Short mmCIF file of all heavy atoms in Angstrom, two decimals:
data_model
loop_
_atom_site.label_atom_id
_atom_site.label_comp_id
_atom_site.label_asym_id
_atom_site.label_seq_id
_atom_site.Cartn_x
_atom_site.Cartn_y
_atom_site.Cartn_z
N TRP A 36 86.76 111.78 82.49
CA TRP A 36 87.14 110.62 81.71
C TRP A 36 88.62 110.59 81.49
O TRP A 36 89.21 111.63 81.17
CB TRP A 36 86.41 110.61 80.36
CG TRP A 36 84.94 110.35 80.48
CD1 TRP A 36 83.93 111.26 80.51
CD2 TRP A 36 84.33 109.04 80.60
NE1 TRP A 36 82.72 110.63 80.60
CE2 TRP A 36 82.94 109.29 80.66
CE3 TRP A 36 84.81 107.78 80.58
CZ2 TRP A 36 82.05 108.22 80.75
CZ3 TRP A 36 83.91 106.68 80.68
CH2 TRP A 36 82.52 106.95 80.76
N TYR A 37 89.22 109.41 81.66
CA TYR A 37 90.59 109.21 81.41
C TYR A 37 90.72 107.98 80.50
O TYR A 37 89.78 107.19 80.42
CB TYR A 37 91.39 108.96 82.75
CG TYR A 37 91.33 110.16 83.65
CD1 TYR A 37 90.19 110.47 84.36
CD2 TYR A 37 92.52 110.94 83.82
CE1 TYR A 37 90.19 111.59 85.22
CE2 TYR A 37 92.47 112.01 84.71
CZ TYR A 37 91.34 112.31 85.38
OH TYR A 37 91.34 113.41 86.24
N ARG A 38 91.87 107.87 79.87
CA ARG A 38 92.04 106.74 79.04
C ARG A 38 93.50 106.17 79.14
O ARG A 38 94.40 106.92 79.43
CB ARG A 38 91.73 107.03 77.54
CG ARG A 38 92.63 108.02 76.88
CD ARG A 38 92.09 108.40 75.51
NE ARG A 38 92.96 109.35 74.86
CZ ARG A 38 92.65 109.95 73.69
NH1 ARG A 38 91.48 109.65 73.08
NH2 ARG A 38 93.46 110.80 73.14
N GLN A 39 93.65 104.90 78.90
CA GLN A 39 94.92 104.29 78.98
C GLN A 39 95.08 103.21 77.89
O GLN A 39 94.28 102.30 77.83
CB GLN A 39 95.15 103.68 80.34
CG GLN A 39 96.54 103.12 80.58
CD GLN A 39 96.80 102.76 82.02
OE1 GLN A 39 95.85 102.44 82.76
NE2 GLN A 39 98.04 102.78 82.41
N ALA A 40 96.05 103.37 77.05
CA ALA A 40 96.37 102.40 76.06
C ALA A 40 97.49 101.52 76.59
O ALA A 40 98.27 101.92 77.48
CB ALA A 40 96.82 103.10 74.75
N PRO A 41 97.66 100.31 76.07
CA PRO A 41 98.71 99.41 76.56
C PRO A 41 100.09 100.06 76.46
O PRO A 41 100.44 100.63 75.42
CB PRO A 41 98.60 98.21 75.61
CG PRO A 41 97.19 98.21 75.20
CD PRO A 41 96.79 99.62 75.06
N GLY A 42 100.84 99.98 77.55
CA GLY A 42 102.16 100.55 77.56
C GLY A 42 102.24 102.05 77.76
O GLY A 42 103.35 102.62 77.69
N LYS A 43 101.07 102.67 77.90
CA LYS A 43 101.05 104.15 78.04
C LYS A 43 100.50 104.51 79.39
O LYS A 43 99.82 103.73 80.06
CB LYS A 43 100.15 104.74 76.94
CG LYS A 43 100.58 104.35 75.54
CD LYS A 43 101.92 105.00 75.16
CE LYS A 43 101.75 106.51 74.97
NZ LYS A 43 103.04 107.12 74.53
N LEU A 44 100.78 105.73 79.76
CA LEU A 44 100.25 106.28 80.98
C LEU A 44 98.76 106.60 80.85
O LEU A 44 98.29 106.88 79.74
CB LEU A 44 101.00 107.54 81.45
CG LEU A 44 102.46 107.40 81.77
CD1 LEU A 44 103.07 108.78 82.00
CD2 LEU A 44 102.63 106.53 83.01
N ARG A 45 98.07 106.52 81.95
CA ARG A 45 96.71 106.98 81.94
C ARG A 45 96.66 108.48 81.78
O ARG A 45 97.38 109.19 82.52
CB ARG A 45 95.98 106.55 83.21
CG ARG A 45 94.49 106.77 83.21
CD ARG A 45 93.82 106.19 84.42
NE ARG A 45 94.00 104.78 84.48
CZ ARG A 45 93.42 103.99 85.42
NH1 ARG A 45 92.60 104.52 86.34
NH2 ARG A 45 93.66 102.68 85.43
N GLU A 46 95.84 108.96 80.90
CA GLU A 46 95.81 110.38 80.62
C GLU A 46 94.40 110.95 80.68
O GLU A 46 93.43 110.25 80.46
CB GLU A 46 96.41 110.70 79.17
CG GLU A 46 95.54 110.15 78.05
CD GLU A 46 96.09 110.54 76.69
OE1 GLU A 46 97.06 111.33 76.62
OE2 GLU A 46 95.51 110.13 75.68
N LEU A 47 94.36 112.18 81.05
CA LEU A 47 93.09 112.88 81.14
C LEU A 47 92.51 113.13 79.74
O LEU A 47 93.27 113.47 78.81
CB LEU A 47 93.26 114.21 81.84
CG LEU A 47 91.96 115.06 82.13
CD1 LEU A 47 92.16 115.81 83.39
CD2 LEU A 47 91.76 116.05 80.95
N VAL A 48 91.26 112.85 79.61
CA VAL A 48 90.53 113.14 78.37
C VAL A 48 89.68 114.41 78.52
O VAL A 48 89.77 115.34 77.71
CB VAL A 48 89.69 111.96 77.89
CG1 VAL A 48 88.90 112.30 76.63
CG2 VAL A 48 90.52 110.72 77.69
N ALA A 49 88.82 114.37 79.51
CA ALA A 49 87.96 115.50 79.73
C ALA A 49 87.44 115.49 81.16
O ALA A 49 87.24 114.40 81.73
CB ALA A 49 86.80 115.50 78.74
N THR A 50 87.20 116.63 81.72
CA THR A 50 86.64 116.73 83.06
C THR A 50 85.51 117.76 83.04
O THR A 50 85.48 118.66 82.24
CB THR A 50 87.66 117.07 84.13
OG1 THR A 50 88.26 118.33 83.84
CG2 THR A 50 88.73 116.02 84.23
N ILE A 51 84.65 117.65 84.02
CA ILE A 51 83.58 118.63 84.21
C ILE A 51 83.31 118.76 85.68
O ILE A 51 83.24 117.75 86.42
CB ILE A 51 82.36 118.20 83.41
CG1 ILE A 51 81.30 119.33 83.41
CG2 ILE A 51 81.77 116.90 83.92
CD1 ILE A 51 80.17 119.11 82.43
N THR A 52 83.13 119.99 86.10
CA THR A 52 82.78 120.26 87.50
C THR A 52 81.27 120.21 87.63
O THR A 52 80.50 120.17 86.69
CB THR A 52 83.29 121.61 87.97
OG1 THR A 52 82.62 122.63 87.24
CG2 THR A 52 84.81 121.70 87.71
N ARG A 53 80.83 120.28 88.90
CA ARG A 53 79.43 120.25 89.16
C ARG A 53 78.77 121.50 88.53
O ARG A 53 77.61 121.38 88.11
CB ARG A 53 79.20 120.27 90.71
CG ARG A 53 77.73 120.15 91.07
CD ARG A 53 77.56 119.99 92.58
NE ARG A 53 76.18 119.80 92.95
CZ ARG A 53 75.77 119.62 94.21
NH1 ARG A 53 76.65 119.60 95.22
NH2 ARG A 53 74.49 119.41 94.44
N GLY A 54 79.45 122.57 88.46
CA GLY A 54 78.93 123.80 87.90
C GLY A 54 78.98 123.86 86.38
O GLY A 54 78.49 124.80 85.78
N GLY A 55 79.61 122.87 85.75
CA GLY A 55 79.64 122.81 84.30
C GLY A 55 80.92 123.24 83.64
O GLY A 55 80.99 123.25 82.40
N SER A 56 81.87 123.63 84.41
CA SER A 56 83.20 124.01 83.77
C SER A 56 83.87 122.77 83.24
O SER A 56 83.96 121.75 83.90
CB SER A 56 84.08 124.68 84.85
OG SER A 56 85.32 124.99 84.28
N THR A 57 84.35 122.87 82.00
CA THR A 57 84.94 121.69 81.31
C THR A 57 86.41 121.92 81.00
O THR A 57 86.86 123.05 80.84
CB THR A 57 84.21 121.39 80.04
OG1 THR A 57 84.23 122.49 79.18
CG2 THR A 57 82.72 121.00 80.36
N ASN A 58 87.11 120.83 80.84
CA ASN A 58 88.46 120.85 80.45
C ASN A 58 88.74 119.66 79.55
O ASN A 58 88.35 118.54 79.88
CB ASN A 58 89.40 120.80 81.70
CG ASN A 58 90.85 120.90 81.37
OD1 ASN A 58 91.23 121.73 80.54
ND2 ASN A 58 91.70 120.11 82.02
N TYR A 59 89.46 119.87 78.46
CA TYR A 59 89.68 118.84 77.46
C TYR A 59 91.17 118.71 77.17
O TYR A 59 91.91 119.68 77.14
CB TYR A 59 88.95 119.14 76.13
CG TYR A 59 87.44 119.11 76.23
CD1 TYR A 59 86.76 120.24 76.51
CD2 TYR A 59 86.77 117.92 76.08
CE1 TYR A 59 85.38 120.23 76.55
CE2 TYR A 59 85.38 117.87 76.12
CZ TYR A 59 84.68 119.02 76.39
OH TYR A 59 83.31 119.05 76.44
N GLU A 60 91.56 117.50 76.92
CA GLU A 60 92.88 117.25 76.32
C GLU A 60 92.87 117.78 74.91
O GLU A 60 91.89 117.69 74.19
CB GLU A 60 93.17 115.75 76.38
CG GLU A 60 94.67 115.39 76.15
CD GLU A 60 94.91 115.15 74.68
OE1 GLU A 60 94.02 114.71 73.95
OE2 GLU A 60 96.09 115.32 74.26
N ASP A 61 94.02 118.36 74.51
CA ASP A 61 94.06 119.05 73.24
C ASP A 61 93.61 118.26 72.03
O ASP A 61 92.93 118.72 71.13
CB ASP A 61 95.49 119.65 72.96
CG ASP A 61 95.77 120.84 73.86
OD1 ASP A 61 94.83 121.46 74.43
OD2 ASP A 61 96.96 121.18 74.00
N SER A 62 94.02 116.98 72.03
CA SER A 62 93.78 116.18 70.86
C SER A 62 92.28 115.81 70.64
O SER A 62 91.91 115.37 69.57
CB SER A 62 94.60 114.87 70.90
OG SER A 62 94.12 114.01 71.96
N VAL A 63 91.47 116.03 71.67
CA VAL A 63 90.04 115.70 71.56
C VAL A 63 89.16 116.90 71.45
O VAL A 63 87.98 116.78 71.22
CB VAL A 63 89.57 114.79 72.73
CG1 VAL A 63 90.48 113.60 72.86
CG2 VAL A 63 89.48 115.58 74.00
N LYS A 64 89.74 118.09 71.56
CA LYS A 64 88.95 119.30 71.46
C LYS A 64 88.29 119.38 70.12
O LYS A 64 88.88 119.16 69.06
CB LYS A 64 89.81 120.53 71.69
CG LYS A 64 90.26 120.69 73.10
CD LYS A 64 91.09 121.98 73.26
CE LYS A 64 91.54 122.18 74.75
NZ LYS A 64 92.37 123.36 74.87
N GLY A 65 87.01 119.71 70.11
CA GLY A 65 86.25 119.81 68.89
C GLY A 65 85.69 118.51 68.47
O GLY A 65 84.82 118.51 67.56
N ARG A 66 86.10 117.37 69.04
CA ARG A 66 85.57 116.09 68.69
C ARG A 66 84.79 115.44 69.81
O ARG A 66 83.78 114.79 69.54
CB ARG A 66 86.72 115.14 68.26
CG ARG A 66 87.51 115.64 67.09
CD ARG A 66 88.49 114.56 66.61
NE ARG A 66 89.47 114.22 67.63
CZ ARG A 66 89.66 112.99 68.11
NH1 ARG A 66 88.94 111.99 67.68
NH2 ARG A 66 90.57 112.79 69.04
N PHE A 67 85.23 115.68 71.08
CA PHE A 67 84.60 115.07 72.20
C PHE A 67 83.88 116.13 72.97
O PHE A 67 84.32 117.30 73.04
CB PHE A 67 85.61 114.40 73.13
CG PHE A 67 86.27 113.18 72.58
CD1 PHE A 67 86.13 112.78 71.25
CD2 PHE A 67 87.10 112.43 73.40
CE1 PHE A 67 86.78 111.67 70.75
CE2 PHE A 67 87.77 111.29 72.94
CZ PHE A 67 87.59 110.89 71.62
N THR A 68 82.78 115.75 73.59
CA THR A 68 82.01 116.61 74.42
C THR A 68 81.66 115.93 75.74
O THR A 68 81.06 114.79 75.70
CB THR A 68 80.73 117.09 73.77
OG1 THR A 68 81.05 117.76 72.56
CG2 THR A 68 79.99 118.08 74.69
N ILE A 69 82.01 116.49 76.87
CA ILE A 69 81.65 115.91 78.13
C ILE A 69 80.44 116.67 78.69
O ILE A 69 80.35 117.88 78.54
CB ILE A 69 82.83 115.96 79.15
CG1 ILE A 69 82.50 115.21 80.40
CG2 ILE A 69 83.24 117.42 79.43
CD1 ILE A 69 83.71 114.96 81.29
N SER A 70 79.56 115.97 79.30
CA SER A 70 78.39 116.59 79.88
C SER A 70 77.97 115.78 81.13
O SER A 70 78.51 114.67 81.33
CB SER A 70 77.25 116.65 78.88
OG SER A 70 76.84 115.36 78.45
N ARG A 71 77.09 116.33 81.89
CA ARG A 71 76.70 115.64 83.11
C ARG A 71 75.22 115.88 83.43
O ARG A 71 74.66 116.90 83.00
CB ARG A 71 77.57 115.99 84.31
CG ARG A 71 77.14 117.29 85.02
CD ARG A 71 77.69 118.53 84.32
NE ARG A 71 77.41 119.76 85.09
CZ ARG A 71 76.36 120.56 84.82
NH1 ARG A 71 75.50 120.24 83.86
NH2 ARG A 71 76.18 121.62 85.58
N ASP A 72 74.67 114.94 84.21
CA ASP A 72 73.36 115.12 84.74
C ASP A 72 73.54 114.97 86.26
O ASP A 72 73.67 113.88 86.78
CB ASP A 72 72.42 114.04 84.22
CG ASP A 72 70.98 114.24 84.66
OD1 ASP A 72 70.79 114.83 85.73
OD2 ASP A 72 70.11 113.77 83.96
#
Side-chain angles (χ1 to χ4, degrees):
W36 290 96
Y37 297 74
R38 65 187 180 187
Q39 187 169 24
K43 305 291 290 184
L44 296 174
R45 188 173 299 185
E46 65 175 357
L47 183 148
V48 178
T50 59
I51 187 167
T52 67
R53 187 176 183 177
S56 179
T57 59
N58 185 43
Y59 294 92
E60 194 268 332
D61 286 342
S62 69
V63 308
K64 288 181 178 178
R66 299 188 298 121
F67 292 8
T68 302
I69 189 169
S70 61
R71 84 278 185 263
D72 185 334

